[in-house]
Amino acid sequence: MSDYGDSADGTPAPPHQRSPKRRRVYKDSENSTPRYSSPDGIDEHRPYHSSNLDDRRASNDRRRSRDSDESDDRHDRKYRGHTTSRSSSRADTPRSSQSHSPLDPPSPPQYKPLRVNYKQKFILRGHRKGVAQVRFSPDGRWIASCSADGTIKIWDSATGKHVRTLEGHLAGVSTIAWSPDSNTIASGSDDKTIRLWRRATGKPYPAPLLGHHNYVYSVAFSPKGNMLASGSYDEAVFLWDLRSRHQMRSLPAHSDPVGGVDFIKDGTLVCSCSTDGLVRVWDTATGQCLRTLVHEDNAPVTQVRFSPNGRYILAFTLDSCIRLWDYDLGHCKKTYQGHVNKKYSLGGAFGVSGTDGFIVSGSEDGDIVFWDAQNKNVVQRVSGHEGVVLWVDTCPGATGMIASGGLDGTVRIWVDTDEEETIGALKLEDEAAVNGYALDINEAGVNGDGMGGVTYENGAFGFEHDTPRDDMSVDGGGSSDKEQPGSDTVMRD
Amino acid sequence: MNLALADPFAIAQDYPETTTGHLFNGHACALRFNRKGDFLAAGRIDGVVVIFDVETQSVATKLKGHIRQIQSLSWSHCGRYLLTSAQDWKCIIWDLKDDTMLRMVKFEAAVYMAELHPANHLKFVVSLYEDQPLLVDATENITRKNNFSSIPNRDADVEISEKQAAGDAKTATTCALFAASGDHIIAGTNKGFLNIIEVETLKTIFSTKICTGVVIFLRLTNSGRDMVINASDRIIRTTQLPNLTADPDTITIEVEHKLQDMVNKVSWNHVAFSSTGEYVTASTYNNHDIYIWERNVGSLVRILEPTKEEHGVVEWHPHRPMIVACGLESGKIDIWSIIPQQRWSALAPDFVEVEENVEYVEHEDEFDIHPQEEIQKRRLDLEDDVVDVLTSKALQDTNGEEIFRMPVNYGLQDSEGEEEFVTVGRGEMRRKSPTEAREYLLNSEVVGSTDENQKRTVKKTKKR
């Protein structure tokens, strides 16, 4: 576990247009902030963050009213970053541009704006460190969450009750995935292994999948459940045959750590992304690279996800954008902006409201942001997490539930509700809390050093040497201007 | 969903060219793909049926029930049920959801071949060695077996001569299968007749002498419109099946092509159609070659590179250019397929592959310098296409029918206490150590240092 930045630096990089090398940071986030994100980047967020927090209470109403007087802005194509709040300017621009297009509507003549109203239902506490990923099981009954504390927890999605804690990884768990039958969980960890767990008993299958030379960042089950794709910090994407537990294929994927992998719903394609700014699409059967998607800015891509119908790829990049790619044509179809994503590997999901699709993602300012997939408007922001929201997942099926996990170590369940009254937020304490672990949120997650003293039961691995999920961080070295020219400059105008 | 991205030239390639590997798990002697082509069932000479996952080339499950060599395999339409017949005079219908025997039917003679009804997975037709062929209905708990005649249907007014009567007495059905609708049985006899039997009445409605020798094997295309007939007269015949529901008097079956090797006069062990029925492939008797004919004109297009042994059953993947065949001596399953070429332009999106030199013409505004924000703004403004992230086009694929997904057993290797033997030399056998559980995997597919990793894995687990 020496300096992995070295190997990355060793690869020949084209002189221009290459974002500076990212390097994993071993200390917890806040201590070493100056190392990987420009100070002014942080400063810039702060006012945004606070101002938004201030008027969040009223934000719902405001959002509605803004929708209603949309017509006023119609021909106002100017960015109004100075005068109005950031979110509104972001939201309006695409809409106004759309109305300009003469070819616009053979499609729904009257576009009914998508409206969601999510409220927090449960707070699930128990993880002692940041929650890296939260995933609904395919049958919607369970939620699995994994954390930098090395555990995976299973929760009942309907009641929010803690069902089971899966322990066995020797380091933080960065990623989890459900098998299609909802009976098995795969997890990838910083201890370089991938483990399979039985959901019903909480026991792991005996032999872990070994082969990655570095942290495992992302795992995805094939839709048939016979294969697993994994992406790792060692820059490789592996396809595993889960029956014999051997590595079936190694995809010579990227020249930088692989952030995310995903399977298309019929299992014929795998996509992977890396901090080298590329999204690659692979043929599962042959292991061939079929397409590479790259944005001009070459921003590091930290997560990818196929759309529910498999026609698009959603890519999360560290320039605070989420891009929807038509991978067939190789075009970026939509850019969703309005959240903050500069150093963490944030994750989001596609959701359905009525017949319309929305996109939901976490944000580094503690919000969960919902976008209309069609017109790129931010339709809702909810807050609750104290600190970065690392992962948001939507429940399969009609319930419309979403779950989020954050750096504060909590998992939160949100439901779409028409009623205005708030749901009595039920706080469910995990037995771990009863067992006397420190649960102070501030300590547990936001200030990373709060957990410096906690040592994992296994003894061998102190967490001082371990890396929690603030790991897809960027060693920007003050050059973030170069990296995110678009979003930043737009804001400053 | 990868079709849109795949190399068009690779898709246009219809038939396999090179050996791409092999599967081995015991001595296989019967093969059959399921309809979707994701699983390959292999019957072994010890009566075990191994089901391979075609994608991962690993063993999905093993079915143990027969005690003698497997004779034939037949998948149900949905892929959940598998009918196996063996030389232990039994047929078993397996439910692959939990690998249990759904029905076991015993017969009075060895089974040549058993084929499932296309719609009803509890109904099948068997042809027996020196016995009357049977239509078996196992829908209820008591299995109903109805035999039907092997004797060809002749004009009623013509008197049957003594010689004919004697011949009729010796006639036996050597293979039988259902037509695509499931309303008719097509049966071939040892006298070279092709009989069509109505399922409802079990009457032979039509017969024709199709060849001079024994009809060894029949196979329909996926659509059920074409049939290939392998006969002992060393000729493979292809025909188009007529509309069987029409008036029996109007039915005619004409041989479309006669495929044979005029020079070597080889006879054929087994035949199979390609996915679309455009090609026919056959394994040769006493020979190592596998022939592929194009059915449109009936010409030989390829003889696959020979391997070390003669092949028995040969099968074509239901929608990929992939042929599998099992060796008669070792029972190894050889695979022929296409090795795709990586298109380098897929790796570098800024480049395109061009056929010839193209003169570069610079656009008027190509190198204009615009402020970043303007570019960004313009880019965002362009994103006004309607996107549909939810509805999928491929809905008609399912047709509303129940999709069966075979459960994946992640603990298979852990629970496998089965003793297996491997040959280490002539007449020498060695018990396979549990660490070598990967023997059957495709060797050529293992990339680079995987082997080393695997060994390390083994060591580590041992230590624990």
Side-chain angles (χ1 to χ4, degrees):
Chain A
M1 286 175 81
S2 62
D3 187 4
Y4 296 98
D6 273 354
S7 64
D9 286 337
T11 57
H16 326 286
Q17 280 217 340
R18 193 70 188 270
S19 56
K21 286 291 157 189
R22 265 78 43 195
R23 182 172 299 151
R24 180 179 269 246
V25 179
Y26 295 96
K27 292 277 183 284
D28 264 318
S29 56
E30 302 300 310
N31 312 344
S32 45
T33 299
R35 273 181 58 200
Y36 47 79
S37 70
S38 67
D40 63 38
I42 291 288
D43 289 338
E44 194 176 78
H45 300 152
R46 205 151 281 153
Y48 162 51
H49 187 96
S50 56
S51 72
N52 255 8
L53 272 177
D54 289 340
D55 54 25
R56 181 138 317 113
R57 295 288 160 267
S59 71
N60 274 344
D61 304 334
R62 183 171 303 174
R63 180 172 48 78
R64 296 248 165 83
S65 63
R66 207 172 61 229
D67 279 354
S68 58
D69 56 39
E70 193 76 37
S71 51
D72 303 341
D73 312 332
R74 282 243 158 161
H75 301 283
D76 179 15
R77 295 189 68 187
K78 250 180 75 187
Y79 276 80
R80 302 169 305 160
H82 270 310
T83 51
T84 61
S85 81
R86 175 176 173 162
S87 59
S88 72
S89 76
R90 281 285 154 81
D92 289 350
T93 326
R95 168 72 70 92
S96 55
S97 69
Q98 202 172 41
S99 63
H100 273 274
S101 159
L103 294 169
D104 193 25
S107 53
Q110 284 175 337
Y111 183 73
K112 203 164 140 268
L114 180 127
R115 190 155 288 179
V116 291
N117 185 20
Y118 273 92
K119 293 254 164 59
Q120 184 168 303
K121 192 175 170 198
F122 297 125
I123 305 176
L124 317 176
R125 298 184 199 276
H127 282 297
R128 288 173 292 133
K129 280 188 165 189
V131 174
Q133 285 195 358
V134 183
R135 299 263 195 184
F136 277 100
S137 66
D139 62 7
R141 281 188 64 195
W142 317 99
I143 295 171
S145 62
C146 65
S147 161
D149 65 8
T151 63
I152 300 151
K153 285 179 189 289
I154 303 175
W155 317 82
D156 187 313
S157 69
T159 63
K161 285 229 163 55
H162 172 256
V163 183
R164 199 154 271 122
T165 300
L166 316 179
E167 287 177 315
H169 275 299
L170 304 177
V173 184
S174 307
T175 174
I176 41 174
W178 285 93
S179 71
D181 61 0
S182 300
N183 287 328
T184 308
I185 297 173
S187 63
S189 160
D190 285 358
D191 64 9
K192 308 177 195 174
T193 63
I194 299 165
R195 278 180 186 276
L196 296 178
W197 308 81
R198 294 183 179 86
R199 199 247 320 136
T201 61
K203 294 275 181 297
Y205 285 90
L209 306 178
L210 301 174
H212 277 299
H213 300 299
N214 212 328
Y215 315 124
V216 181
Y217 257 161
S218 182
V219 290
F221 267 97
S222 74
K224 279 185 209 148
N226 56 351
M227 286 187 282
L228 188 83
S230 67
S232 160
Y233 206 79
D234 65 10
E235 304 174 2
V237 175
F238 287 169
L239 290 181
W240 303 85
D241 172 11
L242 287 181
R243 290 198 185 88
S244 65
R245 308 249 179 72
H246 87 287
Q247 178 196 320
M248 209 175 84
R249 192 160 270 134
S250 162
L251 306 177
H254 296 283
S255 54
D256 261 340
V258 176
V261 289
D262 195 18
F263 264 101
I264 199 166
K265 68 175 175 112
D266 71 348
T268 54
L269 297 175
V270 175
C271 66
S272 68
C273 69
S274 161
T275 42
D276 59 10
L278 305 180
V279 176
R280 293 200 199 270
V281 183
W282 308 86
D283 190 59
T284 317
T286 63
Q288 307 269 308
C289 177
L290 294 180
R291 189 70 95 231
T292 301
L293 310 171
V294 58
H295 194 255
E296 284 162 48
D297 299 342
N298 217 9
V301 192
T302 55
Q303 274 301 333
V304 275
R305 199 151 187 166
F306 275 105
S307 69
N309 61 2
R311 282 190 57 202
Y312 301 96
I313 290 175
L314 194 66
F316 296 76
T317 47
L318 286 187
D319 56 355
S320 292
C321 289
I322 302 172
R323 291 196 174 83
L324 189 72
W325 290 87
D326 185 325
Y327 61 85
D328 186 13
L329 301 171
H331 290 161
C332 175
K333 285 285 182 195
K334 303 276 174 189
T335 305
Y336 305 98
Q337 289 175 310
H339 67 311
V340 187
N341 185 5
K342 298 211 177 285
K343 59 183 194 190
Y344 292 95
S345 170
L346 300 188
F350 288 90
V352 188
S353 171
T355 55
D356 298 318
F358 65 83
I359 283 154
V360 56
S361 164
S363 170
E364 285 168 16
D365 58 9
D367 285 354
I368 298 169
V369 187
F370 297 79
W371 290 268
D372 186 327
Q374 198 64 253
N375 60 18
K376 305 187 284 182
N377 286 351
V378 173
V379 289
Q380 196 189 356
R381 281 166 180 279
V382 291
S383 65
H385 281 282
E386 316 203 4
V388 178
V389 182
L390 287 171
W391 199 267
V392 185
D393 196 24
T394 50
C395 183
T399 58
M401 220 183 319
I402 69 165
S404 62
L407 212 55
D408 59 2
T410 63
V411 174
R412 289 164 199 250
I413 302 180
W414 311 75
V415 286
D416 193 5
T417 167
D418 292 330
E419 310 97 63
E420 285 300 311
E421 85 258 25
T422 47
I423 299 163
L426 246 137
K427 296 195 180 183
L428 288 170
E429 307 281 312
D430 172 30
E431 64 251 34
V434 186
N435 287 344
Y437 292 128
L439 269 177
D440 186 348
I441 302 162
N442 290 326
E443 215 174 59
V446 181
N447 306 328
D449 47 3
M451 51 199 151
V454 184
T455 320
Y456 190 60
E457 284 94 303
N458 219 298
F461 290 74
F463 269 125
E464 295 88 346
H465 307 293
D466 181 22
T467 329
R469 182 65 180 189
D470 37 346
D471 30 24
M472 289 302 278
S473 44
V474 182
D475 192 355
S479 58
S480 72
D481 287 4
K482 218 191 290 171
E483 270 180 57
Q484 298 98 18
S487 58
D488 276 7
T489 41
V490 167
M491 285 327 299
R492 268 184 221 119
D493 271 2
Chain B
M1 304 189 81
N2 56 351
L3 279 186
L5 294 182
D7 183 4
F9 293 103
I11 296 174
Q13 178 79 40
D14 286 329
Y15 50 87
E17 281 181 332
T18 49
T19 37
T20 53
H22 67 267
L23 298 166
F24 185 71
N25 188 310
H27 190 138
C29 57
L31 298 173
R32 194 86 186 255
F33 282 105
N34 68 345
R35 192 174 58 98
K36 272 160 74 187
D38 45 2
F39 292 103
L40 172 70
R44 302 202 312 213
I45 52 168
D46 59 358
V48 177
V49 177
V50 183
I51 297 188
F52 290 98
D53 185 327
V54 175
E55 243 174 344
T56 62
Q57 314 220 337
S58 63
V59 176
T61 186
K62 287 181 185 178
L63 309 171
K64 290 167 191 167
H66 289 291
I67 50 166
R68 292 272 188 281
Q69 177 171 342
I70 301 294
Q71 202 61 30
S72 78
L73 301 156
S74 175
W75 289 84
S76 70
H77 187 78
C78 57
R80 177 171 167 178
Y81 307 98
L82 179 71
L83 170 71
T84 59
S85 68
Q87 291 179 355
D88 56 5
W89 302 12
K90 281 187 295 195
C91 282
I92 300 178
I93 301 174
W94 302 87
D95 185 348
L96 294 176
K97 189 168 190 177
D98 42 13
D99 296 349
T100 51
M101 286 186 213
L102 204 63
R103 298 281 188 279
M104 190 201 290
V105 186
K106 214 163 166 7
F107 300 99
E108 314 278 281
V111 181
Y112 274 132
M113 171 170 159
E115 276 278 320
L116 273 182
H117 189 274
N120 183 348
H121 64 267
L122 292 170
K123 233 174 172 179
F124 59 92
V125 56
V126 292
S127 40
L128 300 168
Y129 177 71
E130 291 190 340
D131 204 342
Q132 292 297 311
L134 296 171
L135 171 70
V136 183
D137 187 348
T139 320
E140 284 124 54
N141 272 335
I142 307 151
T143 310
R144 278 185 295 161
K145 300 175 195 169
N146 298 308
N147 63 329
F148 54 89
S149 163
S150 305
I151 299 161
N153 182 25
R154 299 198 179 85
D155 292 340
D157 44 328
V158 180
E159 193 113 332
I160 300 167
S161 67
E162 217 166 272
K163 197 180 158 199
Q164 270 182 325
D168 282 356
K170 283 188 208 154
T171 303
T173 298
T174 46
C175 54
L177 46 75
F178 282 100
S181 64
D183 296 335
H184 296 88
I185 296 168
I186 303 163
T189 70
N190 57 353
K191 302 286 179 198
F193 276 95
L194 206 61
N195 296 334
I196 292 176
I197 297 119
E198 203 172 56
V199 169
E200 212 159 287
T201 58
L202 288 179
K203 288 249 167 59
T204 309
I205 57 165
F206 174 79
S207 294
T208 180
K209 179 123 178 149
I210 200 99
C211 56
T212 53
V214 180
V215 177
I216 300 171
F217 187 73
L218 299 171
R219 177 60 66 82
L220 299 178
T221 51
N222 287 344
S223 63
R225 278 196 287 273
D226 309 279
M227 185 166 63
V228 61
I229 301 143
N230 184 22
S232 61
D233 59 2
R234 306 182 176 200
I235 299 173
I236 295 167
R237 293 169 175 83
T238 61
T239 67
Q240 288 198 330
L241 276 186
N243 179 13
L244 298 175
T245 52
D247 182 12
D249 297 336
T250 64
I251 295 177
T252 50
I253 292 183
E254 275 169 25
V255 174
E256 184 188 48
H257 291 297
K258 289 184 177 182
L259 310 171
Q260 55 185 325
D261 188 333
M262 299 288 242
V263 183
N264 299 322
K265 282 283 175 198
V266 288
S267 62
W268 313 100
N269 282 342
H270 197 269
V271 291
F273 267 122
S274 76
S275 35
T276 53
E278 278 176 272
Y279 296 88
V280 174
T281 182
S283 56
T284 47
Y285 174 71
N286 251 342
N287 227 316
H288 296 189
D289 299 332
I290 293 204
Y291 285 56
I292 300 174
W293 294 271
E294 210 252 271
R295 213 179 49 126
N296 217 1
V297 290
S299 59
L300 181 69
V301 292
R302 194 169 184 92
I303 298 174
L304 290 176
E305 54 180 292
T307 53
K308 289 195 183 100
E309 56 184 332
E310 180 188 345
H311 291 95
V313 173
V314 59
E315 285 289 336
W316 198 305
H317 190 277
H319 48 78
R320 287 223 306 257
M322 174 179 173
I323 289 177
V324 294
C326 58
L328 281 184
E329 272 164 49
S330 69
K332 197 172 78 172
I333 303 165
D334 286 308
I335 303 172
W336 289 266
S337 186
I338 291 169
I339 298 172
Q341 296 300 313
Q342 172 71 57
R343 283 156 60 222
W344 55 266
S345 63
L347 293 163
D350 303 347
F351 290 81
V352 280
E353 291 172 37
V354 289
E355 295 285 307
E356 54 193 5
N357 284 342
V358 177
E359 197 174 333
Y360 179 71
V361 184
E362 183 189 321
H363 292 294
E364 174 58 36
D365 55 350
E366 190 165 354
F367 295 103
D368 291 1
I369 296 170
H370 296 288
Q372 276 293 339
E373 59 263 46
E374 199 176 312
I375 294 174
Q376 176 79 356
K377 187 177 151 205
R378 202 182 298 161
R379 206 187 279 151
L380 290 178
D381 286 351
L382 280 174
E383 295 174 353
D384 53 0
D385 291 351
V386 177
V387 294
D388 180 2
V389 295
L390 300 174
T391 48
S392 56
K393 272 187 203 158
L395 269 177
Q396 61 268 24
D397 278 3
T398 59
N399 260 336
E401 73 191 36
E402 183 203 359
I403 306 163
F404 170 67
R405 246 191 218 154
M406 200 143 117
V408 182
N409 183 1
Y410 302 120
L412 189 71
Q413 299 294 318
D414 309 326
S415 62
E416 197 156 33
E418 185 193 2
E419 287 172 6
E420 283 184 21
F421 295 88
V422 284
T423 39
V424 289
R426 181 172 293 177
E428 270 185 286
M429 301 286 265
R430 176 166 66 81
R431 185 169 294 172
K432 200 173 178 180
S433 65
T435 52
E436 284 173 332
R438 299 177 54 241
E439 269 292 302
Y440 52 82
L441 297 166
L442 184 58
N443 298 341
S444 62
E445 289 291 327
V446 179
V447 185
S449 62
T450 325
D451 274 343
E452 285 170 34
N453 290 340
Q454 203 60 38
K455 275 172 203 158
R456 232 185 307 140
T457 314
V458 171
K459 270 181 205 161
K460 275 189 186 169
T461 44
K462 263 189 192 166
K463 264 181 224 163
R464 271 175 213 163

